[in-house]
Amino acid sequence: MVAWQAFGLVFVAGLVTAVATGLGALPFFLVGEVSRRLNVALWGVASGIMLTASALGLVPEGLAHGEVTTVVVGLLVGVALVALAHRLLDDHEFDPGEYETADVRQLALILGVLTVHSFPEGIAIGVSFGALNLDAGVVPPLAVAMTVAISVHNIPEGVAISIPLREMGVSPWRMVGWSIFSSLPQPLGAVLAFAFVRVAAPLLPVGFGFAAGAMVALVVVEFVPEALETGKPLARNGYDVFAGGTALGGAGMWLLLVAV
């Protein structure tokens, strides 16, 4: 029974991060659009959170469970997988507006793309729960920090998804729904990663390294380009706004890691 409770807790954590993506649509209940400046700042906050969570959370945790070489192998595999996924997604780039008009086959393909896109975040959550022990009432502090981090990181993704839907005249509530839909693979990824590190406990350091590498790669290949593209019309191309957001997100994540 406890085992099922553990998997249930991990699934709920992943579901919380998916639901958080819907928060990106909430501003559209009040305004017609989200400013470029705010959007760039949010991408910066997300980047700071992910980089700090990797460097100060996942990597040290991996080193606490294994050798440096083992963690490095995981890091390299995580980076390589995200880079490969990004390359594949370049051939199947979807406008979020297509969600509204997709037929069954298109929807299945969109789900596949979203799964590839969202899995690294889900894996990071699942791995962070690796030391979960409900019998002793132990929830790893890193798991709490990672759940919060991924949830906050998902908000600007929700904004990015909602903007084209808004231009199509989609209602705010449907924008919330489609934003959450885009992150639904995360609970599944979390459960699968948790099951893997529980069954193959010696590979836990690899898992931590993998999650860290995947998150850093996501920042490099997705967050930064998205922020810089959005910030082009701003003064100094929005670099200062992005840097400020990154510093804020990094500081917030550091405080969270210290607190838990």
Side-chain angles (χ1 to χ4, degrees):
M1 183 63 176
V2 173
W4 287 111
Q5 290 174 344
F7 279 99
L9 180 60
V10 174
F11 179 82
V12 168
L15 189 60
V16 166
T17 65
V19 171
T21 314
L23 297 177
L26 295 186
F28 295 95
F29 283 88
L30 304 174
V31 298
E33 62 182 35
V34 174
S35 71
R36 284 182 177 270
R37 193 175 187 83
L38 177 58
N39 209 349
V40 172
L42 287 174
W43 282 115
V45 169
S47 297
I49 287 172
M50 299 287 266
L51 292 174
T52 305
S54 298
L56 301 183
L58 291 168
V59 170
E61 195 70 21
L63 294 175
H65 287 83
E67 300 294 329
V68 173
T69 52
T70 308
V71 177
V72 170
V73 168
L75 275 166
L76 295 176
V77 173
V79 170
L81 185 62
V82 169
L84 176 61
H86 183 73
R87 186 177 183 86
L88 293 175
L89 290 179
D90 280 345
D91 297 329
H92 298 285
E93 195 67 36
F94 284 100
D95 187 317
E98 294 183 20
Y99 297 169
E100 287 287 300
T101 57
D103 59 24
V104 175
R105 291 183 63 187
Q106 285 177 314
L107 199 57
L109 184 55
I110 290 172
L111 271 173
V113 171
L114 293 178
T115 298
V116 173
H117 174 81
S118 296
F119 244 56
E121 292 101 322
I123 289 172
I125 296 167
V127 170
S128 69
F129 274 91
L132 178 67
N133 187 344
L134 290 181
D135 286 333
V138 175
V139 176
L142 181 61
V144 177
M146 288 304 303
T147 302
V148 173
I150 301 297
S151 296
V152 175
H153 133 267
N154 277 352
I155 295 175
E157 290 202 353
V159 174
I161 289 165
S162 298
I163 289 173
L165 294 176
R166 177 70 175 183
E167 293 174 354
M168 291 177 60
V170 176
S171 71
W173 281 114
R174 290 179 68 84
M175 289 157 57
V176 170
W178 285 120
S179 296
I180 294 173
F181 170 81
S182 71
S183 292
L184 284 181
Q186 287 178 10
L188 178 60
V191 169
L192 290 177
F194 177 68
F196 179 77
V197 297
R198 297 286 275 201
V199 172
L203 293 179
L204 184 58
V206 178
F208 280 115
F210 176 89
M215 287 171 60
V216 170
L218 278 173
V219 171
V220 173
V221 303
E222 293 191 25
F223 295 6
V224 174
E226 183 72 26
L228 297 183
E229 180 65 28
T230 303
K232 278 184 178 178
L234 301 177
R236 294 177 291 279
N237 294 321
Y239 291 166
D240 54 341
V241 178
F242 179 74
T246 302
L248 180 62
M253 188 64 212
W254 175 75
L255 288 174
L256 179 60
L257 288 169
V258 171
V260 298

PDB file of all heavy atoms in Angstrom, residues 80-117:
ATOM      1  N   ALA A  80      22.702  15.325 -24.170  1.00  0.00           N
ATOM      2  CA  ALA A  80      22.595  14.725 -25.502  1.00  0.00           C
ATOM      3  C   ALA A  80      21.139  14.431 -25.864  1.00  0.00           C
ATOM      4  O   ALA A  80      20.715  14.675 -27.003  1.00  0.00           O
ATOM      5  CB  ALA A  80      23.425  13.443 -25.564  1.00  0.00           C
ATOM      6  N   LEU A  81      20.377  13.915 -24.902  1.00  0.00           N
ATOM      7  CA  LEU A  81      18.980  13.569 -25.186  1.00  0.00           C
ATOM      8  C   LEU A  81      18.156  14.810 -25.499  1.00  0.00           C
ATOM      9  O   LEU A  81      17.356  14.810 -26.444  1.00  0.00           O
ATOM     10  CB  LEU A  81      18.374  12.818 -24.006  1.00  0.00           C
ATOM     11  CG  LEU A  81      16.954  12.286 -24.229  1.00  0.00           C
ATOM     12  CD1 LEU A  81      16.946  11.273 -25.368  1.00  0.00           C
ATOM     13  CD2 LEU A  81      16.405  11.653 -22.960  1.00  0.00           C
ATOM     14  N   VAL A  82      18.355  15.872 -24.728  1.00  0.00           N
ATOM     15  CA  VAL A  82      17.597  17.107 -24.985  1.00  0.00           C
ATOM     16  C   VAL A  82      18.013  17.712 -26.323  1.00  0.00           C
ATOM     17  O   VAL A  82      17.178  18.198 -27.085  1.00  0.00           O
ATOM     18  CB  VAL A  82      17.799  18.117 -23.842  1.00  0.00           C
ATOM     19  CG1 VAL A  82      17.232  19.489 -24.223  1.00  0.00           C
ATOM     20  CG2 VAL A  82      17.118  17.614 -22.576  1.00  0.00           C
ATOM     21  N   ALA A  83      19.308  17.684 -26.620  1.00  0.00           N
ATOM     22  CA  ALA A  83      19.783  18.213 -27.898  1.00  0.00           C
ATOM     23  C   ALA A  83      19.171  17.429 -29.058  1.00  0.00           C
ATOM     24  O   ALA A  83      18.732  18.013 -30.061  1.00  0.00           O
ATOM     25  CB  ALA A  83      21.302  18.156 -27.959  1.00  0.00           C
ATOM     26  N   LEU A  84      19.116  16.100 -28.918  1.00  0.00           N
ATOM     27  CA  LEU A  84      18.522  15.266 -29.959  1.00  0.00           C
ATOM     28  C   LEU A  84      17.033  15.549 -30.089  1.00  0.00           C
ATOM     29  O   LEU A  84      16.508  15.686 -31.205  1.00  0.00           O
ATOM     30  CB  LEU A  84      18.751  13.789 -29.638  1.00  0.00           C
ATOM     31  CG  LEU A  84      18.115  12.772 -30.592  1.00  0.00           C
ATOM     32  CD1 LEU A  84      18.670  12.944 -32.002  1.00  0.00           C
ATOM     33  CD2 LEU A  84      18.342  11.344 -30.102  1.00  0.00           C
ATOM     34  N   ALA A  85      16.355  15.646 -28.956  1.00  0.00           N
ATOM     35  CA  ALA A  85      14.915  15.933 -28.978  1.00  0.00           C
ATOM     36  C   ALA A  85      14.648  17.285 -29.622  1.00  0.00           C
ATOM     37  O   ALA A  85      13.712  17.437 -30.412  1.00  0.00           O
ATOM     38  CB  ALA A  85      14.356  15.901 -27.560  1.00  0.00           C
ATOM     39  N   HIS A  86      15.476  18.271 -29.294  1.00  0.00           N
ATOM     40  CA  HIS A  86      15.308  19.602 -29.872  1.00  0.00           C
ATOM     41  C   HIS A  86      15.482  19.555 -31.392  1.00  0.00           C
ATOM     42  O   HIS A  86      14.730  20.211 -32.130  1.00  0.00           O
ATOM     43  CB  HIS A  86      16.329  20.551 -29.251  1.00  0.00           C
ATOM     44  CG  HIS A  86      16.211  21.973 -29.726  1.00  0.00           C
ATOM     45  ND1 HIS A  86      15.183  22.805 -29.336  1.00  0.00           N
ATOM     46  CD2 HIS A  86      16.978  22.700 -30.572  1.00  0.00           C
ATOM     47  CE1 HIS A  86      15.323  23.981 -29.898  1.00  0.00           C
ATOM     48  NE2 HIS A  86      16.405  23.944 -30.662  1.00  0.00           N
ATOM     49  N   ARG A  87      16.446  18.775 -31.830  1.00  0.00           N
ATOM     50  CA  ARG A  87      16.681  18.647 -33.268  1.00  0.00           C
ATOM     51  C   ARG A  87      15.481  17.999 -33.958  1.00  0.00           C
ATOM     52  O   ARG A  87      15.050  18.418 -35.043  1.00  0.00           O
ATOM     53  CB  ARG A  87      17.944  17.824 -33.523  1.00  0.00           C
ATOM     54  CG  ARG A  87      18.367  17.753 -34.977  1.00  0.00           C
ATOM     55  CD  ARG A  87      19.670  16.982 -35.115  1.00  0.00           C
ATOM     56  NE  ARG A  87      20.137  16.956 -36.488  1.00  0.00           N
ATOM     57  CZ  ARG A  87      20.883  17.907 -37.038  1.00  0.00           C
ATOM     58  NH1 ARG A  87      21.235  18.952 -36.324  1.00  0.00           N
ATOM     59  NH2 ARG A  87      21.285  17.822 -38.293  1.00  0.00           N
ATOM     60  N   LEU A  88      14.932  16.967 -33.323  1.00  0.00           N
ATOM     61  CA  LEU A  88      13.756  16.295 -33.888  1.00  0.00           C
ATOM     62  C   LEU A  88      12.543  17.213 -33.892  1.00  0.00           C
ATOM     63  O   LEU A  88      11.752  17.222 -34.840  1.00  0.00           O
ATOM     64  CB  LEU A  88      13.450  15.029 -33.090  1.00  0.00           C
ATOM     65  CG  LEU A  88      14.484  13.895 -33.184  1.00  0.00           C
ATOM     66  CD1 LEU A  88      14.102  12.765 -32.235  1.00  0.00           C
ATOM     67  CD2 LEU A  88      14.566  13.374 -34.616  1.00  0.00           C
ATOM     68  N   LEU A  89      12.399  18.007 -32.843  1.00  0.00           N
ATOM     69  CA  LEU A  89      11.243  18.894 -32.752  1.00  0.00           C
ATOM     70  C   LEU A  89      11.304  20.013 -33.780  1.00  0.00           C
ATOM     71  O   LEU A  89      10.270  20.567 -34.149  1.00  0.00           O
ATOM     72  CB  LEU A  89      11.149  19.494 -31.344  1.00  0.00           C
ATOM     73  CG  LEU A  89      10.772  18.525 -30.226  1.00  0.00           C
ATOM     74  CD1 LEU A  89      10.729  19.249 -28.887  1.00  0.00           C
ATOM     75  CD2 LEU A  89       9.431  17.864 -30.509  1.00  0.00           C
ATOM     76  N   ASP A  90      12.503  20.358 -34.225  1.00  0.00           N
ATOM     77  CA  ASP A  90      12.630  21.378 -35.259  1.00  0.00           C
ATOM     78  C   ASP A  90      11.903  20.964 -36.534  1.00  0.00           C
ATOM     79  O   ASP A  90      11.445  21.810 -37.312  1.00  0.00           O
ATOM     80  CB  ASP A  90      14.107  21.636 -35.585  1.00  0.00           C
ATOM     81  CG  ASP A  90      14.756  22.541 -34.548  1.00  0.00           C
ATOM     82  OD1 ASP A  90      14.013  23.179 -33.778  1.00  0.00           O
ATOM     83  OD2 ASP A  90      16.006  22.600 -34.499  1.00  0.00           O
ATOM     84  N   ASP A  91      11.797  19.656 -36.743  1.00  0.00           N
ATOM     85  CA  ASP A  91      11.105  19.149 -37.932  1.00  0.00           C
ATOM     86  C   ASP A  91       9.601  19.033 -37.713  1.00  0.00           C
ATOM     87  O   ASP A  91       8.847  18.800 -38.658  1.00  0.00           O
ATOM     88  CB  ASP A  91      11.657  17.762 -38.319  1.00  0.00           C
ATOM     89  CG  ASP A  91      13.122  17.822 -38.704  1.00  0.00           C
ATOM     90  OD1 ASP A  91      13.548  18.869 -39.233  1.00  0.00           O
ATOM     91  OD2 ASP A  91      13.840  16.828 -38.460  1.00  0.00           O
ATOM     92  N   HIS A  92       9.158  19.169 -36.471  1.00  0.00           N
ATOM     93  CA  HIS A  92       7.731  19.028 -36.158  1.00  0.00           C
ATOM     94  C   HIS A  92       7.298  20.139 -35.207  1.00  0.00           C
ATOM     95  O   HIS A  92       6.763  19.894 -34.143  1.00  0.00           O
ATOM     96  CB  HIS A  92       7.452  17.667 -35.511  1.00  0.00           C
ATOM     97  CG  HIS A  92       7.776  16.504 -36.400  1.00  0.00           C
ATOM     98  ND1 HIS A  92       6.982  16.130 -37.458  1.00  0.00           N
ATOM     99  CD2 HIS A  92       8.829  15.648 -36.395  1.00  0.00           C
ATOM    100  CE1 HIS A  92       7.518  15.075 -38.063  1.00  0.00           C
ATOM    101  NE2 HIS A  92       8.636  14.765 -37.439  1.00  0.00           N
ATOM    102  N   GLU A  93       7.596  21.368 -35.602  1.00  0.00           N
ATOM    103  CA  GLU A  93       7.267  22.502 -34.747  1.00  0.00           C
ATOM    104  C   GLU A  93       5.780  22.820 -34.872  1.00  0.00           C
ATOM    105  O   GLU A  93       5.248  22.968 -35.966  1.00  0.00           O
ATOM    106  CB  GLU A  93       8.079  23.731 -35.158  1.00  0.00           C
ATOM    107  CG  GLU A  93       8.074  24.847 -34.134  1.00  0.00           C
ATOM    108  CD  GLU A  93       8.791  24.466 -32.855  1.00  0.00           C
ATOM    109  OE1 GLU A  93       9.798  23.744 -32.914  1.00  0.00           O
ATOM    110  OE2 GLU A  93       8.306  24.874 -31.787  1.00  0.00           O
ATOM    111  N   PHE A  94       5.113  22.921 -33.720  1.00  0.00           N
ATOM    112  CA  PHE A  94       3.685  23.187 -33.721  1.00  0.00           C
ATOM    113  C   PHE A  94       3.397  24.557 -33.153  1.00  0.00           C
ATOM    114  O   PHE A  94       3.934  24.950 -32.125  1.00  0.00           O
ATOM    115  CB  PHE A  94       2.925  22.142 -32.892  1.00  0.00           C
ATOM    116  CG  PHE A  94       2.770  20.821 -33.589  1.00  0.00           C
ATOM    117  CD1 PHE A  94       3.609  19.768 -33.289  1.00  0.00           C
ATOM    118  CD2 PHE A  94       1.795  20.649 -34.546  1.00  0.00           C
ATOM    119  CE1 PHE A  94       3.474  18.549 -33.929  1.00  0.00           C
ATOM    120  CE2 PHE A  94       1.659  19.437 -35.191  1.00  0.00           C
ATOM    121  CZ  PHE A  94       2.492  18.380 -34.882  1.00  0.00           C
ATOM    122  N   ASP A  95       2.514  25.270 -33.842  1.00  0.00           N
ATOM    123  CA  ASP A  95       1.949  26.487 -33.280  1.00  0.00           C
ATOM    124  C   ASP A  95       0.859  26.059 -32.306  1.00  0.00           C
ATOM    125  O   ASP A  95       0.021  25.218 -32.650  1.00  0.00           O
ATOM    126  CB  ASP A  95       1.347  27.327 -34.411  1.00  0.00           C
ATOM    127  CG  ASP A  95       0.889  28.684 -33.939  1.00  0.00           C
ATOM    128  OD1 ASP A  95       0.265  28.753 -32.857  1.00  0.00           O
ATOM    129  OD2 ASP A  95       1.141  29.673 -34.643  1.00  0.00           O
ATOM    130  N   PRO A  96       0.842  26.608 -31.079  1.00  0.00           N
ATOM    131  CA  PRO A  96      -0.206  26.220 -30.129  1.00  0.00           C
ATOM    132  C   PRO A  96      -1.617  26.421 -30.671  1.00  0.00           C
ATOM    133  O   PRO A  96      -2.556  25.762 -30.234  1.00  0.00           O
ATOM    134  CB  PRO A  96       0.047  27.148 -28.926  1.00  0.00           C
ATOM    135  CG  PRO A  96       1.511  27.415 -28.990  1.00  0.00           C
ATOM    136  CD  PRO A  96       1.830  27.492 -30.460  1.00  0.00           C
ATOM    137  N   GLY A  97      -1.753  27.313 -31.641  1.00  0.00           N
ATOM    138  CA  GLY A  97      -3.067  27.522 -32.234  1.00  0.00           C
ATOM    139  C   GLY A  97      -3.590  26.282 -32.937  1.00  0.00           C
ATOM    140  O   GLY A  97      -4.807  26.123 -33.102  1.00  0.00           O
ATOM    141  N   GLU A  98      -2.693  25.373 -33.316  1.00  0.00           N
ATOM    142  CA  GLU A  98      -3.119  24.151 -33.992  1.00  0.00           C
ATOM    143  C   GLU A  98      -3.863  23.219 -33.049  1.00  0.00           C
ATOM    144  O   GLU A  98      -4.552  22.301 -33.498  1.00  0.00           O
ATOM    145  CB  GLU A  98      -1.911  23.428 -34.600  1.00  0.00           C
ATOM    146  CG  GLU A  98      -1.246  24.195 -35.730  1.00  0.00           C
ATOM    147  CD  GLU A  98      -0.110  23.412 -36.351  1.00  0.00           C
ATOM    148  OE1 GLU A  98      -0.061  22.184 -36.187  1.00  0.00           O
ATOM    149  OE2 GLU A  98       0.733  24.042 -37.010  1.00  0.00           O
ATOM    150  N   TYR A  99      -3.713  23.403 -31.743  1.00  0.00           N
ATOM    151  CA  TYR A  99      -4.440  22.573 -30.786  1.00  0.00           C
ATOM    152  C   TYR A  99      -5.938  22.658 -31.047  1.00  0.00           C
ATOM    153  O   TYR A  99      -6.668  21.674 -30.925  1.00  0.00           O
ATOM    154  CB  TYR A  99      -4.186  23.032 -29.342  1.00  0.00           C
ATOM    155  CG  TYR A  99      -2.764  22.927 -28.854  1.00  0.00           C
ATOM    156  CD1 TYR A  99      -2.395  23.517 -27.658  1.00  0.00           C
ATOM    157  CD2 TYR A  99      -1.784  22.249 -29.572  1.00  0.00           C
ATOM    158  CE1 TYR A  99      -1.098  23.428 -27.182  1.00  0.00           C
ATOM    159  CE2 TYR A  99      -0.483  22.166 -29.107  1.00  0.00           C
ATOM    160  CZ  TYR A  99      -0.152  22.757 -27.909  1.00  0.00           C
ATOM    161  OH  TYR A  99       1.131  22.678 -27.442  1.00  0.00           O
ATOM    162  N   GLU A 100      -6.394  23.868 -31.367  1.00  0.00           N
ATOM    163  CA  GLU A 100      -7.825  24.112 -31.512  1.00  0.00           C
ATOM    164  C   GLU A 100      -8.411  23.447 -32.742  1.00  0.00           C
ATOM    165  O   GLU A 100      -9.590  23.140 -32.789  1.00  0.00           O
ATOM    166  CB  GLU A 100      -8.095  25.622 -31.590  1.00  0.00           C
ATOM    167  CG  GLU A 100      -7.946  26.354 -30.271  1.00  0.00           C
ATOM    168  CD  GLU A 100      -9.094  26.039 -29.326  1.00  0.00           C
ATOM    169  OE1 GLU A 100     -10.245  26.309 -29.676  1.00  0.00           O
ATOM    170  OE2 GLU A 100      -8.835  25.518 -28.245  1.00  0.00           O
ATOM    171  N   THR A 101      -7.593  23.251 -33.778  1.00  0.00           N
ATOM    172  CA  THR A 101      -8.109  22.746 -35.051  1.00  0.00           C
ATOM    173  C   THR A 101      -7.595  21.347 -35.399  1.00  0.00           C
ATOM    174  O   THR A 101      -7.885  20.844 -36.471  1.00  0.00           O
ATOM    175  CB  THR A 101      -7.716  23.713 -36.192  1.00  0.00           C
ATOM    176  OG1 THR A 101      -6.291  23.852 -36.217  1.00  0.00           O
ATOM    177  CG2 THR A 101      -8.332  25.092 -35.956  1.00  0.00           C
ATOM    178  N   ALA A 102      -6.859  20.744 -34.493  1.00  0.00           N
ATOM    179  CA  ALA A 102      -6.243  19.449 -34.798  1.00  0.00           C
ATOM    180  C   ALA A 102      -7.270  18.330 -34.884  1.00  0.00           C
ATOM    181  O   ALA A 102      -8.216  18.289 -34.105  1.00  0.00           O
ATOM    182  CB  ALA A 102      -5.204  19.110 -33.728  1.00  0.00           C
ATOM    183  N   ASP A 103      -7.063  17.434 -35.873  1.00  0.00           N
ATOM    184  CA  ASP A 103      -7.883  16.237 -35.910  1.00  0.00           C
ATOM    185  C   ASP A 103      -7.205  15.181 -35.034  1.00  0.00           C
ATOM    186  O   ASP A 103      -6.198  15.445 -34.386  1.00  0.00           O
ATOM    187  CB  ASP A 103      -8.077  15.734 -37.351  1.00  0.00           C
ATOM    188  CG  ASP A 103      -6.747  15.418 -38.046  1.00  0.00           C
ATOM    189  OD1 ASP A 103      -5.755  15.139 -37.336  1.00  0.00           O
ATOM    190  OD2 ASP A 103      -6.707  15.460 -39.281  1.00  0.00           O
ATOM    191  N   VAL A 104      -7.749  13.974 -35.011  1.00  0.00           N
ATOM    192  CA  VAL A 104      -7.241  12.948 -34.102  1.00  0.00           C
ATOM    193  C   VAL A 104      -5.788  12.614 -34.398  1.00  0.00           C
ATOM    194  O   VAL A 104      -4.961  12.502 -33.479  1.00  0.00           O
ATOM    195  CB  VAL A 104      -8.113  11.674 -34.201  1.00  0.00           C
ATOM    196  CG1 VAL A 104      -7.513  10.558 -33.348  1.00  0.00           C
ATOM    197  CG2 VAL A 104      -9.532  11.976 -33.740  1.00  0.00           C
ATOM    198  N   ARG A 105      -5.432  12.462 -35.670  1.00  0.00           N
ATOM    199  CA  ARG A 105      -4.061  12.107 -36.022  1.00  0.00           C
ATOM    200  C   ARG A 105      -3.099  13.234 -35.661  1.00  0.00           C
ATOM    201  O   ARG A 105      -2.010  12.998 -35.140  1.00  0.00           O
ATOM    202  CB  ARG A 105      -3.962  11.797 -37.518  1.00  0.00           C
ATOM    203  CG  ARG A 105      -4.681  10.515 -37.926  1.00  0.00           C
ATOM    204  CD  ARG A 105      -4.487  10.215 -39.397  1.00  0.00           C
ATOM    205  NE  ARG A 105      -3.084   9.979 -39.713  1.00  0.00           N
ATOM    206  CZ  ARG A 105      -2.633   9.822 -40.953  1.00  0.00           C
ATOM    207  NH1 ARG A 105      -3.483   9.871 -41.977  1.00  0.00           N
ATOM    208  NH2 ARG A 105      -1.362   9.609 -41.179  1.00  0.00           N
ATOM    209  N   GLN A 106      -3.519  14.486 -35.944  1.00  0.00           N
ATOM    210  CA  GLN A 106      -2.671  15.614 -35.591  1.00  0.00           C
ATOM    211  C   GLN A 106      -2.492  15.705 -34.081  1.00  0.00           C
ATOM    212  O   GLN A 106      -1.397  15.977 -33.587  1.00  0.00           O
ATOM    213  CB  GLN A 106      -3.287  16.912 -36.110  1.00  0.00           C
ATOM    214  CG  GLN A 106      -3.158  17.120 -37.605  1.00  0.00           C
ATOM    215  CD  GLN A 106      -3.848  18.398 -38.042  1.00  0.00           C
ATOM    216  OE1 GLN A 106      -4.976  18.681 -37.642  1.00  0.00           O
ATOM    217  NE2 GLN A 106      -3.175  19.178 -38.863  1.00  0.00           N
ATOM    218  N   LEU A 107      -3.570  15.449 -33.362  1.00  0.00           N
ATOM    219  CA  LEU A 107      -3.523  15.536 -31.911  1.00  0.00           C
ATOM    220  C   LEU A 107      -2.569  14.488 -31.343  1.00  0.00           C
ATOM    221  O   LEU A 107      -1.829  14.751 -30.388  1.00  0.00           O
ATOM    222  CB  LEU A 107      -4.919  15.350 -31.318  1.00  0.00           C
ATOM    223  CG  LEU A 107      -5.126  15.852 -29.885  1.00  0.00           C
ATOM    224  CD1 LEU A 107      -4.775  17.322 -29.776  1.00  0.00           C
ATOM    225  CD2 LEU A 107      -6.562  15.617 -29.445  1.00  0.00           C
ATOM    226  N   ALA A 108      -2.582  13.298 -31.944  1.00  0.00           N
ATOM    227  CA  ALA A 108      -1.671  12.246 -31.498  1.00  0.00           C
ATOM    228  C   ALA A 108      -0.221  12.662 -31.725  1.00  0.00           C
ATOM    229  O   ALA A 108       0.645  12.436 -30.871  1.00  0.00           O
ATOM    230  CB  ALA A 108      -1.971  10.950 -32.238  1.00  0.00           C
ATOM    231  N   LEU A 109       0.047  13.286 -32.872  1.00  0.00           N
ATOM    232  CA  LEU A 109       1.408  13.744 -33.168  1.00  0.00           C
ATOM    233  C   LEU A 109       1.808  14.871 -32.220  1.00  0.00           C
ATOM    234  O   LEU A 109       2.944  14.918 -31.725  1.00  0.00           O
ATOM    235  CB  LEU A 109       1.493  14.220 -34.625  1.00  0.00           C
ATOM    236  CG  LEU A 109       2.880  14.636 -35.125  1.00  0.00           C
ATOM    237  CD1 LEU A 109       3.879  13.507 -34.910  1.00  0.00           C
ATOM    238  CD2 LEU A 109       2.818  15.032 -36.590  1.00  0.00           C
ATOM    239  N   ILE A 110       0.869  15.791 -31.958  1.00  0.00           N
ATOM    240  CA  ILE A 110       1.134  16.877 -31.018  1.00  0.00           C
ATOM    241  C   ILE A 110       1.460  16.316 -29.646  1.00  0.00           C
ATOM    242  O   ILE A 110       2.384  16.766 -28.966  1.00  0.00           O
ATOM    243  CB  ILE A 110      -0.076  17.833 -30.940  1.00  0.00           C
ATOM    244  CG1 ILE A 110      -0.197  18.624 -32.243  1.00  0.00           C
ATOM    245  CG2 ILE A 110       0.069  18.798 -29.762  1.00  0.00           C
ATOM    246  CD1 ILE A 110      -1.464  19.452 -32.342  1.00  0.00           C
ATOM    247  N   LEU A 111       0.712  15.301 -29.234  1.00  0.00           N
ATOM    248  CA  LEU A 111       0.971  14.668 -27.936  1.00  0.00           C
ATOM    249  C   LEU A 111       2.379  14.072 -27.900  1.00  0.00           C
ATOM    250  O   LEU A 111       3.066  14.150 -26.881  1.00  0.00           O
ATOM    251  CB  LEU A 111      -0.072  13.582 -27.667  1.00  0.00           C
ATOM    252  CG  LEU A 111      -1.347  14.011 -26.951  1.00  0.00           C
ATOM    253  CD1 LEU A 111      -2.342  12.858 -26.914  1.00  0.00           C
ATOM    254  CD2 LEU A 111      -1.046  14.499 -25.543  1.00  0.00           C
ATOM    255  N   GLY A 112       2.782  13.463 -29.004  1.00  0.00           N
ATOM    256  CA  GLY A 112       4.122  12.904 -29.069  1.00  0.00           C
ATOM    257  C   GLY A 112       5.189  13.975 -28.931  1.00  0.00           C
ATOM    258  O   GLY A 112       6.174  13.807 -28.206  1.00  0.00           O
ATOM    259  N   VAL A 113       4.984  15.103 -29.610  1.00  0.00           N
ATOM    260  CA  VAL A 113       5.928  16.214 -29.526  1.00  0.00           C
ATOM    261  C   VAL A 113       5.979  16.766 -28.108  1.00  0.00           C
ATOM    262  O   VAL A 113       7.047  17.032 -27.550  1.00  0.00           O
ATOM    263  CB  VAL A 113       5.556  17.327 -30.526  1.00  0.00           C
ATOM    264  CG1 VAL A 113       6.403  18.565 -30.287  1.00  0.00           C
ATOM    265  CG2 VAL A 113       5.720  16.840 -31.954  1.00  0.00           C
ATOM    266  N   LEU A 114       4.810  16.934 -27.510  1.00  0.00           N
ATOM    267  CA  LEU A 114       4.746  17.464 -26.146  1.00  0.00           C
ATOM    268  C   LEU A 114       5.406  16.519 -25.150  1.00  0.00           C
ATOM    269  O   LEU A 114       6.025  16.953 -24.172  1.00  0.00           O
ATOM    270  CB  LEU A 114       3.283  17.707 -25.737  1.00  0.00           C
ATOM    271  CG  LEU A 114       2.549  18.812 -26.497  1.00  0.00           C
ATOM    272  CD1 LEU A 114       1.098  18.905 -26.035  1.00  0.00           C
ATOM    273  CD2 LEU A 114       3.241  20.151 -26.308  1.00  0.00           C
ATOM    274  N   THR A 115       5.264  15.220 -25.400  1.00  0.00           N
ATOM    275  CA  THR A 115       5.885  14.236 -24.518  1.00  0.00           C
ATOM    276  C   THR A 115       7.404  14.380 -24.545  1.00  0.00           C
ATOM    277  O   THR A 115       8.057  14.405 -23.505  1.00  0.00           O
ATOM    278  CB  THR A 115       5.484  12.809 -24.933  1.00  0.00           C
ATOM    279  OG1 THR A 115       4.064  12.671 -24.794  1.00  0.00           O
ATOM    280  CG2 THR A 115       6.175  11.771 -24.057  1.00  0.00           C
ATOM    281  N   VAL A 116       7.958  14.495 -25.746  1.00  0.00           N
ATOM    282  CA  VAL A 116       9.403  14.672 -25.878  1.00  0.00           C
ATOM    283  C   VAL A 116       9.837  15.971 -25.203  1.00  0.00           C
ATOM    284  O   VAL A 116      10.874  16.042 -24.539  1.00  0.00           O
ATOM    285  CB  VAL A 116       9.811  14.672 -27.365  1.00  0.00           C
ATOM    286  CG1 VAL A 116      11.285  15.031 -27.522  1.00  0.00           C
ATOM    287  CG2 VAL A 116       9.534  13.314 -27.988  1.00  0.00           C
ATOM    288  N   HIS A 117       9.030  17.014 -25.346  1.00  0.00           N
ATOM    289  CA  HIS A 117       9.370  18.323 -24.808  1.00  0.00           C
ATOM    290  C   HIS A 117       9.292  18.354 -23.285  1.00  0.00           C
ATOM    291  O   HIS A 117      10.140  18.954 -22.617  1.00  0.00           O
ATOM    292  CB  HIS A 117       8.425  19.377 -25.389  1.00  0.00           C
ATOM    293  CG  HIS A 117       8.595  20.735 -24.782  1.00  0.00           C
ATOM    294  ND1 HIS A 117       9.590  21.589 -25.173  1.00  0.00           N
ATOM    295  CD2 HIS A 117       7.911  21.372 -23.801  1.00  0.00           C
ATOM    296  CE1 HIS A 117       9.512  22.706 -24.463  1.00  0.00           C
ATOM    297  NE2 HIS A 117       8.498  22.594 -23.624  1.00  0.00           N
TER     298      HIS A 117
END
